[in-house]
Amino acid sequence: RREVKNMRTDKYSETMYKDTIDEVEMGFCECPFDEHEVTAHLAESGVEDPDFWIPLIRFGVEQKNNVRGCDDAADNVANATSSRTEKIQITYVDQSVAMIRHWRKISPGTRLGAWALDDAKAYRQIPLAPDQRRFGVVAVVDPGAADKPVSRTRFFVLNGHAFGFTNAVYNYCRRPLALHRILTSLFWIVGDHYVDGRWGIEPMSTIKSSFETSSAVMD
């Protein structure tokens, strides 16, 4: 943990710290802690050997119009401790094009509509097992207040998966598959999905109800 204690501020530090505090308010992680407080929190949560935890360094990556926080699970070798024996099942644009063509074939002249939904904070919505939360401790630089810019490293314990866990992709992608089965089998909604994005393509007469139903099921 020596390199974590020596973390320095950069141009993304203020954004990273604010975004992490926002996640606390959303329930995706627990409080800003000092090092000894992390151990105490894990002990209270029933984690065995609570002193054995490995922090993830959070850093900012600029993407188009925003900065995304990434947690380095490669540097602390957390990713190296797991294996992946399954293949990710995702869809492709060709399937959506085929869907539209099929609608045109079975119902020519019908005006079609479409909607799209995004699963916000996708990986965070997949909870960590209690005994695995020791691997979900994130280190973030607190740049300090504007009038007292004294930086220090603070720790947050994640309740969900980190954007940096290789297995987060695999664990999350089971969720849209389950949603797809529910929406198509129970509600007969014509749609598709790609990782955390979901969309529907139906006649205008049913597009509103399919959107509202899909949104309610996702909630």
Side-chain angles (χ1 to χ4, degrees):
R1 303 173 191 168
R2 184 179 304 166
E3 64 275 14
V4 173
K5 291 181 180 179
N6 295 327
M7 289 173 64
R8 295 290 182 265
T9 58
D10 59 27
K11 63 179 179 179
Y12 303 129
S13 295
E14 188 172 344
T15 300
M16 288 299 94
Y17 192 75
K18 179 183 179 300
D19 288 351
T20 308
I21 292 295
D22 289 343
E23 288 194 1
V24 173
E25 296 175 357
M26 288 185 275
F28 292 132
C29 59
E30 306 294 330
C31 290
F33 296 116
D34 290 327
E35 186 172 348
H36 70 280
E37 292 174 329
V38 173
T39 301
H41 178 74
L42 293 176
E44 291 173 2
S45 301
V47 175
E48 294 183 8
D49 299 323
D51 188 54
F52 178 66
W53 52 273
I54 307 174
L56 303 152
I57 293 177
R58 176 163 292 181
F59 60 93
V61 176
E62 199 164 346
Q63 293 183 334
K64 295 182 180 180
N65 298 323
N66 70 327
V67 178
R68 178 187 287 274
C70 297
D71 302 321
D72 196 343
D75 185 65
N76 76 347
V77 303
N79 283 338
T81 65
S82 62
S83 61
R84 290 155 291 281
T85 58
E86 62 187 290
K87 291 184 178 180
I88 296 177
Q89 298 181 50
I90 56 176
T91 57
Y92 301 93
V93 174
D94 291 349
Q95 291 177 240
S96 296
V97 173
M99 188 189 305
I100 296 171
R101 286 177 174 170
H102 190 65
W103 269 122
R104 294 302 189 195
K105 180 180 179 180
I106 64 175
S107 186
T110 297
R111 186 184 174 199
L112 298 177
W115 52 259
L117 287 167
D118 181 70
D119 202 0
K121 298 286 185 182
Y123 293 168
R124 299 289 195 270
Q125 300 205 30
I126 308 302
L128 286 175
D131 62 340
Q132 297 291 307
R133 296 183 76 211
R134 67 174 79 251
F135 303 109
V137 179
V138 174
V140 187
V141 176
D142 177 0
D147 57 337
K148 293 182 179 180
V150 178
S151 63
R152 59 172 174 163
T153 302
R154 301 285 275 166
F155 299 95
F156 298 79
V157 181
L158 293 177
N159 295 320
H161 282 45
F163 189 83
F165 287 158
T166 302
N167 277 348
V169 184
Y170 293 80
N171 291 340
Y172 173 78
C173 282
R174 300 188 188 102
R175 174 182 163 96
L177 287 173
L179 278 169
H180 188 70
R181 182 64 178 270
I182 292 169
L183 293 173
T184 56
S185 299
L186 296 182
F187 298 101
W188 295 8
I189 292 174
V190 182
D192 213 336
H193 59 92
Y194 184 82
V195 192
D196 59 349
R198 175 156 203 93
W199 57 90
I201 301 172
E202 293 197 13
M204 290 299 293
S205 58
T206 59
I207 196 68
K208 185 175 184 292
S209 64
S210 72
F211 171 78
E212 291 175 348
T213 301
S214 298
S215 181
V217 172
M218 289 180 74
D219 285 343

